[in-house]
Amino acid sequence: MKMELVLQHRGKTCQYSGIALKDFYMPVVNNIESDFQIEPAIWFKSLIIKTIQIDCDLRNVFWERKSQLGGSSSPGGSVSPRVVFEDDRLEECELFNAVIDLIHKRDKKNCSVDDVSREILRILHLHVLPLVLLKDEDLTCLKDALDDVEHRITYMNNLTIDKDKQLMESEKNLREYRENLLRTENFESYSNVKHCTDKFLMELLDDVNREIRILTDRLITFQSCVDMTRNSVANESKLHLKEWRKKRDEVNSSILKLQCIRESIKNVTTRTKKRKKVKILHNEKHDTYVTLKENLRADKSAMQSMFEGKVKITSVREAIIQACNDLKASGESTGYDVPKCGERLSTDILGNSPKPKKWLTLNERIQNILSDKSTESAQTYTTFCASTVKKIRNFLSQKALIDRKRSENVPFFMEMIDFSLPSQQMEKQKATGNPYENVSTELNAESPEKGFTNMIKEEVMQHIYDQCQSLVQLLSKQKSFNKKANCTTINLNNVWVFYELQLYQHLIEPLSDLFENIYKNEAKEMASFVTSTALKDIGVQEQWLLDDEEDREHHIESVCMRNSSNKCFEKNVAIVALRNGRTLTLSELCESDEELNDFFGSPTVGCDSYLSPDLHQKDFKCTKACGQQAFKYVCNELEHMTRSKSIMGKLKSITKANRMVSECASSLKSKGCELSDDNALSADDMLASTTCALTKVDTKVFEKLYAHVHLVNDFIPPFMMGSLQDWSLTNFFCAFQNISCNLESTRSQN
Amino acid sequence: MTQRSQPKQPSAAGGSKSKQIKLVLLGESGVGKSSIALRYVRGEFNENGEATIGAAFLTKTVNVRGQSVKFDIWDTAGQERYHSLAPMYYRGAPAAIIVYDVTSKSSFTRAQAWIKELLQQANSQMVICLAGNKADMASEARTVSREEGKDHAEEHGLLFTETSAKTGLNVEDMFINLAAKIVATTMSPGNDIEENVRLEESGKKGGCC
């Protein structure tokens, strides 16, 4: 059940085996545990992972699942490696830096084997395991792991019960043994006690003290019973009073006796200075008592560990159950539903597992700085967020006012707010004539909207850059982190990524509103053009993409039908038109697999956003074949992109969507160009396919997407230029531009 | 539709320790841009095969003069109808390969137009290579002579080579030469694009790592 880690750097390969979740709750590397308590929930993945490979040269991470026992997980029984991540310009840089540091230290023999093991634990816990994405094909393996965990829990339960019985028996024996000792020997006598060993006396004193506490509680209880019965007027109470008094007096005399013993022990152990001169006599009974106590203490400690283990293993079980549920619902899961790098994960059931400072990730360190209001960075951050949000909100409300006035044909000067760039202002000053004439509803370089967005963009980018510079300085001064390694590389780009995450928590919503608002007219026009025009008139001329033109015509009809009766698509009463001519409500559709297939075979994806998660799951299953149907996956991802709360998140979604487009196009082209000499997927094909994918997006999502692609395009971090993410974004950006060009040309022809 | 705007901040390639270079492949449709990229990165030539996933964006890391250089290779659409979109692709790229087919005169004419466009529109520091592809077919169907290509490249100060994605002729060398030229250009003082900050415990500032 052990996992292997392969690290590669500059052609060297280091392999570490012996990574496991010992007893299903204790992460270990070569039997070395972490030197503090860590939440093991995320380590459930180690139960199904065979190998993790981190390549620092190619900057990618792969994982391979263990093959299932008694069955093959994929055709041929082999399990192929899967990517954890492949690009080095995102936040995962921290991982590669840590791995390179580790390899260097190991090569220079700067650290012990234990330290290497603990560093591997840290790397896996913080940077790798949380990002391993499980898919529905892992479900069986996960269920097997869950069974193993459940068996272990049952075993531990039985073990705990047995141990508890043993413990109770031992305690009972010890008590009897002690009572016997106190009966047979006179511990109230100083002369007797002074010959006992210190160890025995301390153990006895400990027990006597505890016994006194218990008896005192009992005395209080009996005394209150005496008081109650004494005040009662009933005749029966007199009899009871006698009994209660007797019990109280017995307890009292026991306490007095024990107190005498305690005092004499204290006199011997702590109050007598001449104790050294007294001859200590070893007594076998006393030694046995000490041994019994030591055994009991060890048993109690083992019991405590067993309880902690049970809590931890339950945490692992909950994590597996959650992952299984996620897989059933959405087909994929990272194992928990909060972003990584948090100190506490949603699967933590041990409470907040505190991490030592040296385990804090760069993201957490930046979070800490920004939450410490005394730092200049935090103050600048808070002020900037507040002022930018305010600026955007003000602009939007003034624009709404202007739009309203304009619709009412009331002259209204845009100069009431002038957010244009200084260069534009100068040009404006030079211009003569009525400035109102220059105001255009089109978004162009001269429009106030563009001026404002440019200003905001420049302010945000400059702010991020300045803040990152000062954060780099602050972080590099944190000795506690830098001490860990002899030198620490703090990369401006990494800081940028994490600072951005914090910043856009506040800014993404107003920025989205701003971009959706200023691009809404263009977006609406394009969406209307796309839904009412044949693919070839949108600029898609590839025959292998046009093969579903018939379907698309059906889609256009569906959209027309939807536009004419919007009520049809209200939640739960949506009516879908099938190619066989039938119409069904969504609930009827869900009940019929045959009709469902027909529905997903048809391109009425405009109603995707109205589907329930269950239906999406069915969609997932019936579109696995790829091809035109699989474009629906792209649509889902693009919709997800518009909802993502950070620029980096949006970039990741758009990259994923682009990859899906590439896969769909490849599949379609292979099918459609069997006789062709050239069926390698070119950049031309990618553009056409991306354009085609956009035509399948729901109208509302299309409009949002257009604005969000602009948003990401404007706010993409400079160091991402040229990357896979940038290329994916450019593809979508150009696909929109392609549609726009064709819209213009259609308009000019008309 | 607005053009993509350039960020004001210095572009930092410092996420990794290698120099990231965006390289665009330009040229008429069918001249073999994707094939050159595939041959260089994967050592494959896809003739009548399956459509290749991900061939429009490829990466490869090479070591040139002790400097690790990572090429982000962007294939671009070659069809004329997509011509207006090309600036989006070559914007900000420090390197470009303009490909023509040695058996197609029209592709060479198109390549000349690309050279003109890049020299006018693109980054003035851009390192450009003119590549006459399908050299393996030159003996049977050449229509553009080697001299023609070479002269045109020299005239504009470009690198030049004739390649064959099918046989692999000169493909590797072309990329290595491009990388070497870029490294030589960017390593000159004042051209540092790395933004890494490395701090030693003693507080002394070290160089880029």
Side-chain angles (χ1 to χ4, degrees):
Chain A
M1 296 290 279
K2 286 182 180 171
M3 190 172 92
E4 189 184 35
L5 177 69
V6 181
L7 306 177
Q8 288 172 310
H9 178 55
R10 293 195 176 162
K12 274 187 197 167
T13 303
C14 310
Q15 277 177 299
Y16 297 95
S17 51
I19 301 163
L21 190 58
K22 189 179 164 189
D23 295 334
F24 297 93
Y25 68 85
M26 182 67 72
V28 291
V29 176
N30 294 325
N31 273 327
I32 306 293
E33 299 166 9
S34 168
D35 44 7
F36 63 96
Q37 179 172 282
I38 58 170
E39 166 65 42
I42 202 66
W43 282 80
F44 79 90
K45 293 178 186 177
S46 71
L47 299 173
I48 66 161
I49 296 175
K50 182 183 165 195
T51 313
I52 288 176
Q53 187 186 328
I54 303 173
D55 189 330
C56 298
D57 300 323
L58 298 175
R59 302 252 154 182
N60 57 34
V61 180
F62 287 89
W63 73 281
E64 194 179 322
R65 201 188 64 214
K66 284 170 185 158
S67 53
Q68 285 160 235
L69 292 171
S72 63
S73 50
S74 61
S78 62
V79 183
S80 53
R82 277 186 274 165
V83 68
V84 180
F85 46 80
E86 285 188 285
D87 199 271
D88 59 331
R89 269 168 283 200
L90 299 176
E91 62 269 35
E92 288 81 27
C93 267
E94 214 180 330
L95 161 73
F96 296 114
N97 291 339
V99 171
I100 292 167
D101 272 351
L102 178 70
I103 293 172
H104 282 161
K105 276 192 216 165
R106 200 196 75 137
D107 286 352
K108 289 178 185 169
K109 296 183 179 164
N110 271 354
C111 55
S112 65
V113 177
D114 288 10
D115 286 344
V116 170
S117 299
R118 289 198 181 101
E119 180 60 3
I120 289 171
L121 268 177
R122 190 188 73 88
I123 288 170
L124 291 173
H125 186 78
L126 295 180
H127 300 297
V128 181
L129 289 175
L131 293 182
V132 169
L133 181 71
L134 304 172
K135 303 233 168 168
D136 57 350
E137 67 210 58
D138 305 316
L139 198 56
T140 318
C141 236
L142 270 181
K143 281 180 178 168
D144 289 346
L146 183 61
D147 285 345
D148 291 342
V149 170
E150 297 277 16
H151 283 140
R152 181 74 195 177
I153 290 175
T154 313
Y155 169 76
M156 284 177 82
N157 278 341
N158 294 336
L159 209 65
T160 315
I161 291 166
D162 290 346
K163 197 81 186 165
D164 192 46
K165 278 180 189 166
Q166 275 179 29
L167 208 64
M168 281 166 69
E169 193 65 30
S170 305
E171 274 182 336
K172 192 183 157 201
N173 291 341
L174 186 73
R175 193 170 58 246
E176 284 171 4
Y177 196 86
R178 186 174 59 244
E179 281 167 4
N180 191 35
L181 272 180
L182 295 178
R183 250 196 323 273
T184 52
E185 290 182 48
N186 182 10
F187 288 101
E188 292 167 53
S189 151
Y190 175 81
S191 56
N192 185 33
V193 172
K194 70 179 180 184
H195 296 293
C196 299
T197 62
D198 270 356
K199 203 170 186 181
F200 168 72
L201 288 178
M202 292 315 286
E203 295 289 4
L204 190 62
L205 180 65
D206 188 38
D207 287 339
V208 167
N209 272 331
R210 201 178 64 238
E211 198 73 19
I212 290 171
R213 277 198 303 274
I214 293 167
L215 289 174
T216 308
D217 285 345
R218 206 177 289 165
L219 180 73
I220 292 166
T221 313
F222 288 148
Q223 183 59 50
S224 63
C225 291
V226 169
D227 292 345
M228 277 169 64
T229 43
R230 192 177 51 208
N231 295 335
S232 174
V233 288
N235 287 333
E236 294 167 8
S237 300
K238 286 181 181 171
L239 282 172
H240 289 305
L241 181 62
K242 217 173 184 179
E243 281 174 31
W244 287 125
R245 276 180 172 156
K246 193 182 168 195
K247 283 181 183 172
R248 180 199 62 189
D249 293 343
E250 278 171 11
V251 171
N252 194 37
S253 68
S254 302
I255 290 174
L256 286 173
K257 191 184 174 193
L258 286 170
Q259 280 173 338
C260 287
I261 294 171
R262 181 175 68 182
E263 291 313 306
S264 58
I265 295 174
K266 278 188 175 176
N267 283 339
V268 171
T269 54
T270 58
R271 293 171 192 154
T272 310
K273 290 178 182 173
K274 293 174 184 173
R275 169 112 166 106
K276 282 179 185 171
K277 292 177 183 172
V278 179
K279 192 180 178 189
I280 306 295
L281 301 173
H282 276 278
N283 180 318
E284 259 186 42
K285 282 184 180 175
H286 294 181
D287 291 346
T288 310
Y289 184 76
V290 170
T291 310
L292 279 175
K293 279 229 41 179
E294 281 170 353
N295 289 346
L296 184 68
R297 203 173 289 123
D299 285 349
K300 278 184 176 172
S301 172
M303 190 72 172
Q304 175 74 16
S305 300
M306 281 170 74
F307 276 122
E308 280 175 9
K310 253 180 79 177
V311 175
K312 285 179 179 176
I313 203 170
T314 314
S315 170
V316 174
R317 182 184 63 183
E318 292 306 310
I320 301 177
I321 292 170
Q322 189 181 324
C324 288
N325 291 341
D326 287 350
L327 291 180
K328 282 175 197 162
S330 63
E332 55 183 39
S333 169
T334 46
Y336 59 94
D337 53 11
V338 290
K340 72 159 192 157
C341 301
E343 276 201 26
R344 186 161 189 255
L345 310 180
S346 66
T347 45
D348 286 7
I349 62 166
L350 294 178
N352 198 348
S353 317
K355 277 191 255 179
K357 267 195 165 183
K358 64 179 179 181
W359 267 47
L360 290 182
T361 60
L362 188 59
N363 188 22
E364 287 159 352
R365 291 164 64 189
I366 291 171
Q367 275 179 24
N368 287 348
I369 292 174
L370 295 180
S371 58
D372 177 5
K373 299 295 173 201
S374 65
T375 61
E376 199 185 327
S377 293
Q379 286 163 8
T380 312
Y381 162 75
T382 315
T383 316
F384 181 79
C385 286
S387 75
T388 307
V389 171
K390 196 177 170 188
K391 264 185 213 169
I392 296 172
R393 295 286 177 228
N394 283 347
F395 176 82
L396 286 174
S397 55
Q398 293 202 29
K399 186 173 178 294
L401 186 66
I402 291 164
D403 288 346
R404 202 174 67 239
K405 293 284 179 190
R406 191 180 282 151
S407 68
E408 290 166 2
N409 286 326
V410 177
F412 204 87
F413 290 91
M414 287 299 278
E415 279 70 16
M416 60 179 289
I417 41 164
D418 193 348
F419 292 107
S420 44
L421 294 168
S423 58
Q424 292 169 342
Q425 285 171 7
M426 280 178 70
E427 281 174 25
K428 270 188 193 175
Q429 283 167 7
K430 284 180 198 165
T432 52
N434 184 0
Y436 185 62
E437 286 171 6
N438 295 330
V439 176
S440 162
T441 51
E442 284 285 313
L443 186 66
N444 53 50
E446 301 300 320
S447 73
E449 288 96 332
K450 188 65 191 170
F452 180 73
T453 50
N454 277 343
M455 183 194 76
I456 290 289
K457 187 187 88 177
E458 285 186 12
E459 281 182 5
V460 169
M461 299 302 259
Q462 193 61 51
H463 166 82
I464 297 177
Y465 183 75
D466 293 343
Q467 281 283 83
C468 289
Q469 294 276 29
S470 57
L471 281 170
V472 165
Q473 294 303 320
L474 267 176
L475 290 163
S476 59
K477 283 177 191 162
Q478 291 180 341
K479 299 265 182 189
S480 57
F481 296 100
N482 301 341
K483 213 175 177 180
K484 185 169 57 122
N486 286 333
C487 68
T488 303
T489 305
I490 296 162
N491 188 285
L492 185 82
N493 301 345
N494 286 0
V495 175
W496 184 301
V497 169
F498 294 122
Y499 182 70
E500 217 195 62
L501 272 178
Q502 302 301 314
L503 186 75
Y504 287 124
Q505 279 178 15
H506 303 276
L507 296 190
I508 203 74
E509 206 176 306
L511 280 174
S512 300
D513 290 348
L514 176 69
F515 275 72
E516 282 172 24
N517 185 298
I518 63 176
Y519 284 103
K520 71 178 172 204
N521 291 337
E522 274 181 65
K524 270 189 179 167
E525 265 188 275
M526 285 169 68
S528 156
F529 173 66
V530 159
T531 49
S532 59
T533 313
L535 267 179
K536 61 177 184 299
D537 296 327
I538 295 168
V540 179
Q541 291 173 8
E542 284 70 12
Q543 194 52 47
W544 46 273
L545 280 168
L546 292 171
D547 283 344
D548 75 330
E549 190 63 0
E550 194 186 322
D551 281 351
R552 186 173 160 70
E553 278 164 15
H554 176 79
H555 168 55
I556 293 168
E557 280 169 25
S558 304
V559 171
C560 293
M561 186 179 82
R562 190 178 66 206
N563 289 343
S564 62
S565 61
N566 286 334
K567 283 184 181 178
C568 289
F569 280 88
E570 282 174 9
K571 278 181 185 175
N572 304 324
V573 292
I575 294 170
V576 290
L578 300 176
R579 281 181 294 191
N580 60 15
R582 285 189 65 198
T583 53
L584 295 171
T585 63
L586 273 186
S587 53
E588 287 169 336
L589 180 71
C590 294
E591 285 162 14
S592 163
D593 277 348
E594 193 185 328
E595 304 290 16
L596 193 66
N597 274 326
D598 189 18
F599 173 70
F600 284 120
S602 75
T604 47
V605 284
C607 57
D608 252 12
S609 55
Y610 298 93
L611 300 178
S612 68
D614 286 351
L615 200 55
H616 271 301
Q617 182 57 24
K618 290 192 177 184
D619 173 24
F620 176 81
K621 280 170 186 161
C622 66
T623 57
K624 253 188 166 174
C626 206
Q628 284 290 354
Q629 292 174 356
F631 273 126
K632 276 195 268 303
Y633 267 153
V634 182
C635 299
N636 290 343
E637 194 57 43
L638 291 173
E639 194 199 351
H640 182 256
M641 179 267 191
T642 62
R643 284 185 275 112
S644 184
K645 296 288 179 198
S646 70
I647 295 295
M648 212 56 83
K650 287 180 190 294
L651 268 173
K652 279 184 179 176
S653 278
I654 225 163
T655 308
K656 197 171 168 188
N658 194 61
R659 190 174 291 142
M660 288 172 180
V661 169
S662 172
E663 284 164 7
C664 295
S666 176
S667 155
L668 285 170
K669 198 175 179 190
S670 294
K671 282 178 200 163
C673 298
E674 280 163 8
L675 301 173
S676 167
D677 283 347
D678 176 24
N679 62 356
L681 197 66
S682 66
D684 301 66
D685 299 331
M686 271 307 291
L687 252 179
S689 306
T690 312
T691 308
C692 183
L694 288 179
T695 66
K696 293 173 187 300
V697 176
D698 174 67
T699 311
K700 292 270 181 242
V701 178
F702 183 96
E703 288 172 20
K704 276 192 165 194
L705 186 64
Y706 182 66
H708 285 251
V709 164
H710 276 84
L711 173 68
V712 181
N713 190 58
D714 276 359
F715 289 88
I716 183 172
F719 55 87
M720 298 290 285
M721 293 294 192
S723 64
L724 176 66
Q725 290 78 5
D726 184 21
W727 176 71
S728 306
L729 175 68
T730 306
N731 267 342
F732 276 94
F733 198 87
C734 287
F736 271 121
Q737 181 140 7
N738 188 29
I739 294 171
S740 174
C741 290
N742 283 289
L743 168 65
E744 287 301 323
S745 102
T746 310
R747 204 184 271 159
S748 63
Q749 281 168 15
N750 295 336
Chain B
M1 192 86 178
T2 53
Q3 292 279 303
R4 182 171 183 163
S5 49
Q6 284 282 72
K8 189 181 157 191
Q9 281 69 34
S11 91
S16 65
K17 285 160 190 170
S18 60
K19 193 181 285 291
Q20 311 266 2
I21 293 173
K22 173 181 169 182
L23 184 148
V24 282
L25 285 160
L26 299 161
E28 199 178 55
S29 187
V31 294
K33 299 185 293 293
S34 316
S35 303
I36 286 176
L38 268 177
R39 164 62 70 186
Y40 176 59
V41 176
R42 299 187 190 162
E44 295 169 1
F45 182 73
N46 205 338
E47 195 174 34
N48 307 332
E50 283 277 304
T52 318
I53 296 172
F57 177 88
L58 294 162
T59 61
K60 182 158 175 165
T61 306
V62 287
N63 202 297
V64 183
R65 296 183 193 168
Q67 165 83 52
S68 183
V69 173
K70 184 184 174 193
F71 279 118
D72 289 324
I73 304 167
W74 291 39
D75 191 8
T76 61
Q79 291 176 39
E80 189 53 38
R81 65 194 163 109
Y82 295 132
H83 181 234
S84 65
L85 307 176
M88 302 288 173
Y89 287 95
Y90 64 67
R91 188 174 296 268
I97 298 176
I98 297 172
V99 187
Y100 68 90
D101 175 356
V102 296
T103 67
S104 160
K105 195 80 186 171
S106 69
S107 72
F108 184 63
T109 312
R110 188 75 196 90
Q112 288 172 317
W114 274 119
I115 294 169
K116 200 175 166 191
E117 183 174 331
L118 285 190
L119 292 174
Q120 283 174 353
Q121 310 270 336
N123 163 22
S124 58
Q125 303 275 307
M126 187 187 253
V127 179
I128 306 170
C129 177
L130 180 65
N133 194 34
K134 305 192 185 178
D136 56 293
M137 292 160 73
S139 56
E140 308 137 33
R142 181 189 282 275
T143 56
V144 183
S145 70
R146 187 181 164 82
E147 287 67 36
E148 237 179 314
K150 197 177 175 188
D151 290 350
H152 199 79
E154 277 175 1
E155 191 185 325
H156 294 97
L158 319 179
L159 296 171
F160 174 77
T161 188
E162 283 195 339
T163 58
S164 167
K166 191 173 182 178
T167 63
L169 174 78
N170 291 335
V171 173
E172 182 105 19
D173 291 347
M174 175 173 66
F175 281 91
I176 296 289
N177 290 339
L178 261 171
K181 191 165 179 186
I182 291 164
V183 168
T185 314
T186 54
M187 279 179 82
S188 60
N191 271 319
D192 239 1
I193 60 167
E194 295 282 330
E195 282 284 324
N196 286 338
V197 178
R198 184 184 165 102
L199 293 155
E200 306 228 351
E201 196 189 20
S202 62
K204 288 176 194 169
K205 282 193 177 182
C208 294
C209 47

